[in-house]
Amino acid sequence: MSSFKDFSFVGKKALIRVDFNVPLNDAFEITDDNRMRATIPTITKILKDGGSVILMSHLGRPKDGPTEKYSLKHIVAHLFKLLGVEVQFANDCIGAEAIDKAAALQAGQVLLLENLRFYKEEEKGDIAFAEKLSKLGDVYVNDAFGTAHRAHASTAIIAQFFAPANRTFGLVMEGEVLSAEKVMHAAQKPFVAIIGGAKVSDKILIIENLLARATDIIIGGGMAYTFFKAQGGKIGKSIHEDDRMPLALEILAKAKVKGVNIHLPVDNVVADDFSNTANTQTCASGEIPDGWEGLDVGEKSREQFAKVILASKTILWNGPMGVFEMENFQAGTKAIALAVAEATQNGAFSLVGGGDSVSAVNQFGFNDKVSYVSTGGGAMLEYFEGKTLPGIAAIKG
Ligand code: AMP
């Protein structure tokens, strides 16, 4: 597959699936435009090549067809500001207006189609709907990694209507795929996976898949308490899942057989209430008194985890080490961010993926100190669970 940069769009109408699913306030102002900003280089490259651009996206979750609240017309003015190029708008993503406006597009011009999810056919992956969309462009570009795990009409099904030479990833998608593949299929060892977050149940598949690939797995956050309870430890009122305890023991046993080092916290910052103003103390793992709950990893754990991270050449991080949203319980997650940044500076490849660890690195200002920050929460998670993502498979063919 040739890279996006080598693709020439001269004289072509590029139909780009973008992720413009941005949050809007009640006055229809965009409150976070990161997803729009991310895809600007893809659009600009096509326009500079001498092509024209037709953008398609979903916005929100409209239930019953066209809804004012979910109209993509609200983002036209901001897109114009980001691109510096006038943006035409079609009030429907298929039908006469879209066909006419797409046909009339000249090199350097941009057309945005109305919300794809005004049609139920989009999420159903309807072939006839995908074919109608495909007629609007000569080349299909997928730059929406956030929806790559969905087999929707515009994210996957549509690709079959373009020859392999006429379909490609955009820059966002290409960056995501290359960095994910680097970790999953070409990781330099030692490879440490840092898995945190609230629940074991959300991360089981990813841990199981990583058991076949990682050298070390650090398990922190709320999910660690299911492991401690399963081992007979005292966890007070810490978050845990009783029904997942057998699985936690199974993971530990499997890791032993496979020679993967599992690192659980040795100490914890515990609180007498789920609140930033709660009383706190540090307790050894498995020795948390009744009425107290673990809300962060302790200092000894931070030091041990940092040592493992600094000795690694490949780092994957998904999920915080504690309730980092509260200032008094963010030291563990911050320590991980610091260690990952230092390891990266020393030459390791680091990928941070999954909603909350991404918010954490952004919040702590470490986003440009790691090798790659993934924008696709669910998609990245499914990729590391070992699933084939329809959006990637459809382009690769
Ligand atoms: P996830 O989306 O599964 O990565 O989980 C992220 C959430 O887990 C964040 O909102 C954290 O506040 C929460 N979390 C992390 N550690 C704990 C803990 N020890 N107790 C309760 N919630 C936690």
Short mmCIF file of all heavy atoms in Angstrom, two decimals, residues 287-344:
data_model
loop_
_atom_site.label_atom_id
_atom_site.label_comp_id
_atom_site.label_asym_id
_atom_site.label_seq_id
_atom_site.Cartn_x
_atom_site.Cartn_y
_atom_site.Cartn_z
N GLU A 287 -3.82 -5.01 52.50
CA GLU A 287 -3.97 -4.68 53.93
C GLU A 287 -4.75 -3.39 54.13
O GLU A 287 -4.43 -2.58 54.99
CB GLU A 287 -2.57 -4.55 54.56
CG GLU A 287 -1.81 -5.86 54.58
CD GLU A 287 -0.39 -5.69 55.11
OE1 GLU A 287 -0.12 -4.68 55.79
OE2 GLU A 287 0.45 -6.56 54.81
N ILE A 288 -5.76 -3.21 53.31
CA ILE A 288 -6.55 -1.97 53.42
C ILE A 288 -7.65 -2.17 54.46
O ILE A 288 -8.42 -3.12 54.38
CB ILE A 288 -7.16 -1.58 52.04
CG1 ILE A 288 -6.02 -1.38 51.02
CG2 ILE A 288 -8.03 -0.34 52.15
CD1 ILE A 288 -6.47 -1.08 49.61
N PRO A 289 -7.70 -1.29 55.48
CA PRO A 289 -8.70 -1.47 56.54
C PRO A 289 -10.13 -1.28 56.04
O PRO A 289 -10.35 -0.59 55.04
CB PRO A 289 -8.35 -0.38 57.56
CG PRO A 289 -7.10 0.25 57.10
CD PRO A 289 -6.87 -0.09 55.68
N ASP A 290 -11.07 -1.85 56.77
CA ASP A 290 -12.49 -1.67 56.44
C ASP A 290 -12.82 -0.19 56.42
O ASP A 290 -12.31 0.58 57.24
CB ASP A 290 -13.38 -2.35 57.49
CG ASP A 290 -13.27 -3.87 57.40
OD1 ASP A 290 -12.76 -4.37 56.36
OD2 ASP A 290 -13.67 -4.55 58.36
N GLY A 291 -13.68 0.22 55.52
CA GLY A 291 -14.12 1.62 55.47
C GLY A 291 -13.20 2.51 54.65
O GLY A 291 -13.48 3.68 54.45
N TRP A 292 -12.08 1.95 54.19
CA TRP A 292 -11.15 2.74 53.37
C TRP A 292 -11.11 2.15 51.95
O TRP A 292 -11.32 0.96 51.76
CB TRP A 292 -9.74 2.71 53.97
CG TRP A 292 -9.66 3.43 55.28
CD1 TRP A 292 -10.13 2.98 56.48
CD2 TRP A 292 -9.11 4.73 55.53
NE1 TRP A 292 -9.90 3.91 57.46
CE2 TRP A 292 -9.27 5.00 56.91
CE3 TRP A 292 -8.48 5.70 54.73
CZ2 TRP A 292 -8.83 6.19 57.50
CZ3 TRP A 292 -8.04 6.88 55.32
CH2 TRP A 292 -8.22 7.12 56.68
N GLU A 293 -10.81 3.03 50.96
CA GLU A 293 -10.73 2.54 49.59
C GLU A 293 -9.49 3.08 48.88
O GLU A 293 -9.08 4.21 49.11
CB GLU A 293 -11.99 2.93 48.80
CG GLU A 293 -12.26 4.41 48.70
CD GLU A 293 -13.62 4.72 48.08
OE1 GLU A 293 -13.90 4.18 47.00
OE2 GLU A 293 -14.39 5.50 48.68
N GLY A 294 -8.91 2.22 48.05
CA GLY A 294 -7.71 2.60 47.32
C GLY A 294 -8.07 3.49 46.14
O GLY A 294 -8.87 3.09 45.30
N LEU A 295 -7.48 4.69 46.11
CA LEU A 295 -7.81 5.60 45.01
C LEU A 295 -6.58 5.99 44.17
O LEU A 295 -6.70 6.71 43.19
CB LEU A 295 -8.50 6.87 45.55
CG LEU A 295 -9.88 6.66 46.20
CD1 LEU A 295 -10.50 7.98 46.59
CD2 LEU A 295 -10.83 5.89 45.29
N ASP A 296 -5.40 5.51 44.59
CA ASP A 296 -4.20 5.76 43.78
C ASP A 296 -3.14 4.75 44.18
O ASP A 296 -3.23 4.13 45.25
CB ASP A 296 -3.68 7.19 44.02
CG ASP A 296 -2.72 7.66 42.92
OD1 ASP A 296 -2.53 6.91 41.93
OD2 ASP A 296 -2.16 8.77 43.06
N VAL A 297 -2.12 4.59 43.33
CA VAL A 297 -1.01 3.72 43.72
C VAL A 297 -0.07 4.53 44.63
O VAL A 297 0.04 5.75 44.50
CB VAL A 297 -0.25 3.17 42.49
CG1 VAL A 297 -1.19 2.29 41.66
CG2 VAL A 297 0.32 4.28 41.62
N GLY A 298 0.59 3.84 45.55
CA GLY A 298 1.47 4.51 46.50
C GLY A 298 2.84 4.82 45.93
O GLY A 298 3.14 4.49 44.77
N GLU A 299 3.69 5.43 46.77
CA GLU A 299 4.99 5.91 46.30
C GLU A 299 5.94 4.78 45.91
O GLU A 299 6.65 4.88 44.91
CB GLU A 299 5.62 6.77 47.40
CG GLU A 299 6.50 7.84 46.82
CD GLU A 299 6.87 8.88 47.86
OE1 GLU A 299 5.98 9.27 48.64
OE2 GLU A 299 8.05 9.25 47.89
N LYS A 300 5.93 3.70 46.71
CA LYS A 300 6.81 2.57 46.37
C LYS A 300 6.43 1.98 45.02
O LYS A 300 7.30 1.63 44.22
CB LYS A 300 6.69 1.47 47.45
CG LYS A 300 7.55 1.71 48.67
CD LYS A 300 7.58 0.46 49.53
CE LYS A 300 7.96 0.84 50.95
NZ LYS A 300 7.23 0.07 51.96
N SER A 301 5.13 1.85 44.79
CA SER A 301 4.66 1.31 43.50
C SER A 301 5.11 2.22 42.37
O SER A 301 5.57 1.74 41.32
CB SER A 301 3.13 1.23 43.47
OG SER A 301 2.64 0.64 44.63
N ARG A 302 4.97 3.53 42.58
CA ARG A 302 5.37 4.49 41.53
C ARG A 302 6.84 4.28 41.16
O ARG A 302 7.20 4.27 39.99
CB ARG A 302 5.18 5.93 42.01
CG ARG A 302 3.74 6.34 42.11
CD ARG A 302 3.59 7.68 42.79
NE ARG A 302 2.46 7.66 43.70
CZ ARG A 302 2.28 8.48 44.72
NH1 ARG A 302 3.18 9.41 45.01
NH2 ARG A 302 1.22 8.38 45.48
N GLU A 303 7.68 4.10 42.20
CA GLU A 303 9.12 3.91 41.93
C GLU A 303 9.37 2.61 41.17
O GLU A 303 10.14 2.58 40.22
CB GLU A 303 9.89 3.89 43.25
CG GLU A 303 10.09 5.28 43.82
CD GLU A 303 10.56 5.26 45.27
OE1 GLU A 303 11.00 4.20 45.75
OE2 GLU A 303 10.47 6.32 45.93
N GLN A 304 8.68 1.55 41.60
CA GLN A 304 8.87 0.25 40.93
C GLN A 304 8.39 0.30 39.48
O GLN A 304 9.06 -0.20 38.58
CB GLN A 304 8.12 -0.85 41.68
CG GLN A 304 8.78 -1.17 43.01
CD GLN A 304 8.12 -2.35 43.72
OE1 GLN A 304 7.19 -2.96 43.19
NE2 GLN A 304 8.59 -2.66 44.91
N PHE A 305 7.23 0.91 39.29
CA PHE A 305 6.68 0.99 37.94
C PHE A 305 7.62 1.82 37.04
O PHE A 305 7.88 1.46 35.89
CB PHE A 305 5.28 1.64 37.94
CG PHE A 305 4.20 0.79 38.59
CD1 PHE A 305 2.94 1.32 38.82
CD2 PHE A 305 4.44 -0.52 38.97
CE1 PHE A 305 1.93 0.55 39.40
CE2 PHE A 305 3.44 -1.30 39.55
CZ PHE A 305 2.19 -0.75 39.78
N ALA A 306 8.12 2.92 37.59
CA ALA A 306 9.01 3.79 36.80
C ALA A 306 10.26 3.02 36.36
O ALA A 306 10.73 3.16 35.23
CB ALA A 306 9.39 5.03 37.60
N LYS A 307 10.77 2.18 37.25
CA LYS A 307 11.97 1.39 36.94
C LYS A 307 11.70 0.47 35.74
O LYS A 307 12.52 0.36 34.83
CB LYS A 307 12.35 0.55 38.18
CG LYS A 307 13.85 0.51 38.44
CD LYS A 307 14.15 -0.33 39.64
CE LYS A 307 14.63 0.51 40.79
NZ LYS A 307 14.76 -0.27 42.04
N VAL A 308 10.56 -0.19 35.77
CA VAL A 308 10.20 -1.10 34.67
C VAL A 308 10.04 -0.31 33.37
O VAL A 308 10.55 -0.71 32.31
CB VAL A 308 8.87 -1.84 34.99
CG1 VAL A 308 8.42 -2.71 33.82
CG2 VAL A 308 9.01 -2.68 36.26
N ILE A 309 9.37 0.83 33.46
CA ILE A 309 9.12 1.65 32.26
C ILE A 309 10.44 2.15 31.67
O ILE A 309 10.67 2.09 30.46
CB ILE A 309 8.18 2.84 32.61
CG1 ILE A 309 6.79 2.30 32.96
CG2 ILE A 309 8.11 3.85 31.48
CD1 ILE A 309 5.86 3.30 33.65
N LEU A 310 11.34 2.60 32.56
CA LEU A 310 12.62 3.15 32.07
C LEU A 310 13.52 2.08 31.46
O LEU A 310 14.43 2.39 30.69
CB LEU A 310 13.34 3.88 33.20
CG LEU A 310 12.69 5.22 33.56
CD1 LEU A 310 13.26 5.79 34.85
CD2 LEU A 310 12.86 6.21 32.42
N ALA A 311 13.27 0.82 31.78
CA ALA A 311 14.08 -0.27 31.21
C ALA A 311 13.47 -0.80 29.91
O ALA A 311 14.00 -1.72 29.30
CB ALA A 311 14.19 -1.41 32.23
N SER A 312 12.33 -0.22 29.48
CA SER A 312 11.62 -0.77 28.31
C SER A 312 11.93 0.00 27.03
O SER A 312 12.23 1.19 27.06
CB SER A 312 10.11 -0.72 28.58
OG SER A 312 9.81 -1.51 29.70
N LYS A 313 11.80 -0.71 25.90
CA LYS A 313 12.02 -0.06 24.59
C LYS A 313 10.70 0.24 23.88
O LYS A 313 10.65 1.04 22.96
CB LYS A 313 12.87 -0.99 23.71
CG LYS A 313 14.31 -1.14 24.19
CD LYS A 313 15.23 -1.31 22.99
CE LYS A 313 16.69 -1.21 23.34
NZ LYS A 313 17.17 -2.39 24.08
N THR A 314 9.65 -0.47 24.30
CA THR A 314 8.32 -0.20 23.74
C THR A 314 7.34 -0.09 24.90
O THR A 314 7.39 -0.90 25.83
CB THR A 314 7.88 -1.35 22.80
OG1 THR A 314 8.88 -1.55 21.81
CG2 THR A 314 6.55 -1.05 22.13
N ILE A 315 6.48 0.93 24.83
CA ILE A 315 5.55 1.19 25.94
C ILE A 315 4.15 1.43 25.38
O ILE A 315 3.96 2.26 24.48
CB ILE A 315 5.99 2.46 26.72
CG1 ILE A 315 7.42 2.28 27.25
CG2 ILE A 315 5.01 2.76 27.85
CD1 ILE A 315 8.07 3.61 27.65
N LEU A 316 3.19 0.70 25.91
CA LEU A 316 1.79 0.94 25.57
C LEU A 316 1.09 1.31 26.87
O LEU A 316 1.21 0.60 27.87
CB LEU A 316 1.15 -0.33 24.99
CG LEU A 316 -0.37 -0.30 24.83
CD1 LEU A 316 -0.78 0.72 23.77
CD2 LEU A 316 -0.91 -1.68 24.44
N TRP A 317 0.36 2.42 26.87
CA TRP A 317 -0.31 2.85 28.11
C TRP A 317 -1.79 3.07 27.86
O TRP A 317 -2.18 3.85 27.02
CB TRP A 317 0.33 4.14 28.63
CG TRP A 317 -0.28 4.62 29.92
CD1 TRP A 317 -1.09 3.93 30.76
CD2 TRP A 317 -0.12 5.92 30.51
NE1 TRP A 317 -1.45 4.70 31.84
CE2 TRP A 317 -0.88 5.92 31.71
CE3 TRP A 317 0.58 7.06 30.14
CZ2 TRP A 317 -0.95 7.03 32.53
CZ3 TRP A 317 0.50 8.17 30.96
CH2 TRP A 317 -0.24 8.15 32.14
N ASN A 318 -2.59 2.35 28.61
CA ASN A 318 -4.05 2.51 28.52
C ASN A 318 -4.65 2.50 29.92
O ASN A 318 -4.60 1.48 30.60
CB ASN A 318 -4.64 1.36 27.67
CG ASN A 318 -6.15 1.41 27.64
OD1 ASN A 318 -6.80 1.10 28.63
ND2 ASN A 318 -6.71 1.82 26.53
N GLY A 319 -5.16 3.61 30.34
CA GLY A 319 -5.89 3.69 31.62
C GLY A 319 -5.06 4.27 32.75
O GLY A 319 -3.89 3.95 32.91
N PRO A 320 -5.70 5.12 33.57
CA PRO A 320 -4.98 5.79 34.67
C PRO A 320 -4.71 4.87 35.86
O PRO A 320 -5.35 3.84 36.02
CB PRO A 320 -5.95 6.90 35.07
CG PRO A 320 -7.30 6.39 34.71
CD PRO A 320 -7.12 5.52 33.50
N MET A 321 -3.75 5.28 36.69
CA MET A 321 -3.35 4.49 37.86
C MET A 321 -4.25 4.74 39.08
O MET A 321 -4.14 4.07 40.10
CB MET A 321 -1.91 4.83 38.26
CG MET A 321 -0.87 4.38 37.27
SD MET A 321 -0.71 2.59 37.19
CE MET A 321 -1.60 2.24 35.68
N GLY A 322 -5.06 5.79 38.99
CA GLY A 322 -5.93 6.13 40.10
C GLY A 322 -6.99 7.11 39.64
O GLY A 322 -7.15 7.35 38.44
N VAL A 323 -7.68 7.68 40.61
CA VAL A 323 -8.75 8.64 40.28
C VAL A 323 -8.08 9.99 40.02
O VAL A 323 -8.12 10.90 40.85
CB VAL A 323 -9.79 8.71 41.41
CG1 VAL A 323 -10.98 9.59 41.01
CG2 VAL A 323 -10.31 7.31 41.74
N PHE A 324 -7.46 10.09 38.84
CA PHE A 324 -6.60 11.25 38.53
C PHE A 324 -7.42 12.53 38.38
O PHE A 324 -6.86 13.63 38.38
CB PHE A 324 -5.78 10.98 37.27
CG PHE A 324 -6.60 11.08 36.01
CD1 PHE A 324 -6.54 12.22 35.21
CD2 PHE A 324 -7.44 10.06 35.64
CE1 PHE A 324 -7.31 12.32 34.06
CE2 PHE A 324 -8.22 10.15 34.49
CZ PHE A 324 -8.15 11.28 33.71
N GLU A 325 -8.75 12.38 38.24
CA GLU A 325 -9.58 13.58 38.11
C GLU A 325 -9.54 14.38 39.40
O GLU A 325 -9.84 15.57 39.41
CB GLU A 325 -11.03 13.21 37.80
CG GLU A 325 -11.24 12.47 36.47
CD GLU A 325 -11.20 10.95 36.61
OE1 GLU A 325 -10.57 10.45 37.57
OE2 GLU A 325 -11.78 10.27 35.75
N MET A 326 -9.22 13.73 40.54
CA MET A 326 -9.12 14.44 41.82
C MET A 326 -7.64 14.67 42.13
O MET A 326 -6.84 13.73 42.08
CB MET A 326 -9.75 13.61 42.94
CG MET A 326 -11.23 13.41 42.79
SD MET A 326 -11.85 12.64 44.29
CE MET A 326 -13.08 11.53 43.66
N GLU A 327 -7.31 15.91 42.45
CA GLU A 327 -5.91 16.32 42.61
C GLU A 327 -5.14 15.42 43.59
O GLU A 327 -3.97 15.10 43.35
CB GLU A 327 -5.89 17.77 43.08
CG GLU A 327 -4.65 18.49 42.60
CD GLU A 327 -4.62 19.92 43.13
OE1 GLU A 327 -5.70 20.53 43.28
OE2 GLU A 327 -3.50 20.39 43.41
N ASN A 328 -5.78 15.03 44.67
CA ASN A 328 -5.07 14.27 45.70
C ASN A 328 -4.79 12.82 45.31
O ASN A 328 -4.12 12.10 46.05
CB ASN A 328 -5.84 14.31 47.03
CG ASN A 328 -5.75 15.68 47.64
OD1 ASN A 328 -4.82 16.44 47.35
ND2 ASN A 328 -6.72 16.02 48.49
N PHE A 329 -5.34 12.39 44.16
CA PHE A 329 -5.14 11.00 43.74
C PHE A 329 -4.57 10.91 42.33
O PHE A 329 -4.80 9.94 41.62
CB PHE A 329 -6.47 10.23 43.86
CG PHE A 329 -7.09 10.38 45.23
CD1 PHE A 329 -8.21 11.19 45.41
CD2 PHE A 329 -6.50 9.78 46.33
CE1 PHE A 329 -8.75 11.38 46.67
CE2 PHE A 329 -7.04 9.96 47.60
CZ PHE A 329 -8.16 10.76 47.78
N GLN A 330 -3.82 11.94 41.94
CA GLN A 330 -3.28 11.91 40.59
C GLN A 330 -1.76 11.66 40.55
O GLN A 330 -1.18 11.54 39.48
CB GLN A 330 -3.65 13.17 39.81
CG GLN A 330 -3.19 14.46 40.41
CD GLN A 330 -3.66 15.67 39.59
OE1 GLN A 330 -2.94 16.60 39.48
NE2 GLN A 330 -4.86 15.65 39.05
N ALA A 331 -1.14 11.52 41.72
CA ALA A 331 0.32 11.39 41.73
C ALA A 331 0.78 10.11 41.01
O ALA A 331 1.81 10.12 40.32
CB ALA A 331 0.84 11.39 43.17
N GLY A 332 0.03 9.03 41.15
CA GLY A 332 0.41 7.76 40.51
C GLY A 332 0.39 7.88 39.00
O GLY A 332 1.34 7.47 38.31
N THR A 333 -0.68 8.46 38.49
CA THR A 333 -0.82 8.61 37.03
C THR A 333 0.23 9.59 36.50
O THR A 333 0.83 9.37 35.44
CB THR A 333 -2.25 9.10 36.70
OG1 THR A 333 -3.18 8.17 37.26
CG2 THR A 333 -2.49 9.18 35.21
N LYS A 334 0.49 10.64 37.27
CA LYS A 334 1.51 11.63 36.89
C LYS A 334 2.90 10.98 36.84
O LYS A 334 3.70 11.23 35.93
CB LYS A 334 1.53 12.77 37.91
CG LYS A 334 1.45 14.12 37.28
CD LYS A 334 1.53 15.18 38.36
CE LYS A 334 0.75 16.38 37.93
NZ LYS A 334 0.52 17.34 38.98
N ALA A 335 3.18 10.12 37.83
CA ALA A 335 4.49 9.44 37.88
C ALA A 335 4.68 8.55 36.65
O ALA A 335 5.77 8.48 36.09
CB ALA A 335 4.60 8.61 39.16
N ILE A 336 3.59 7.91 36.23
CA ILE A 336 3.67 7.06 35.02
C ILE A 336 3.96 7.95 33.81
O ILE A 336 4.83 7.66 32.99
CB ILE A 336 2.34 6.29 34.80
CG1 ILE A 336 2.11 5.27 35.92
CG2 ILE A 336 2.30 5.63 33.43
CD1 ILE A 336 3.00 4.07 35.90
N ALA A 337 3.22 9.07 33.71
CA ALA A 337 3.41 9.99 32.57
C ALA A 337 4.85 10.46 32.51
O ALA A 337 5.48 10.50 31.45
CB ALA A 337 2.45 11.17 32.69
N LEU A 338 5.40 10.79 33.68
CA LEU A 338 6.77 11.27 33.76
C LEU A 338 7.76 10.20 33.30
O LEU A 338 8.69 10.46 32.53
CB LEU A 338 7.06 11.66 35.22
CG LEU A 338 8.17 12.64 35.47
CD1 LEU A 338 7.79 14.01 34.94
CD2 LEU A 338 8.45 12.76 36.97
N ALA A 339 7.55 8.98 33.78
CA ALA A 339 8.45 7.88 33.42
C ALA A 339 8.35 7.55 31.93
O ALA A 339 9.36 7.31 31.26
CB ALA A 339 8.12 6.64 34.26
N VAL A 340 7.12 7.59 31.40
CA VAL A 340 6.94 7.29 29.97
C VAL A 340 7.64 8.38 29.14
O VAL A 340 8.32 8.09 28.15
CB VAL A 340 5.43 7.19 29.59
CG1 VAL A 340 5.25 7.05 28.09
CG2 VAL A 340 4.77 6.02 30.32
N ALA A 341 7.51 9.64 29.57
CA ALA A 341 8.16 10.74 28.86
C ALA A 341 9.69 10.57 28.90
O ALA A 341 10.37 10.74 27.88
CB ALA A 341 7.76 12.07 29.49
N GLU A 342 10.22 10.21 30.06
CA GLU A 342 11.67 10.04 30.19
C GLU A 342 12.17 8.87 29.33
O GLU A 342 13.18 8.99 28.63
CB GLU A 342 12.04 9.82 31.66
CG GLU A 342 13.52 10.03 31.93
CD GLU A 342 13.88 9.81 33.40
OE1 GLU A 342 13.01 10.03 34.28
OE2 GLU A 342 15.03 9.40 33.64
N ALA A 343 11.44 7.77 29.37
CA ALA A 343 11.82 6.61 28.56
C ALA A 343 11.79 6.96 27.08
O ALA A 343 12.67 6.55 26.31
CB ALA A 343 10.87 5.45 28.85
N THR A 344 10.81 7.77 26.69
CA THR A 344 10.69 8.18 25.28
C THR A 344 11.89 9.03 24.88
O THR A 344 12.48 8.86 23.81
CB THR A 344 9.38 8.98 25.06
OG1 THR A 344 8.29 8.22 25.61
CG2 THR A 344 9.13 9.23 23.59
#
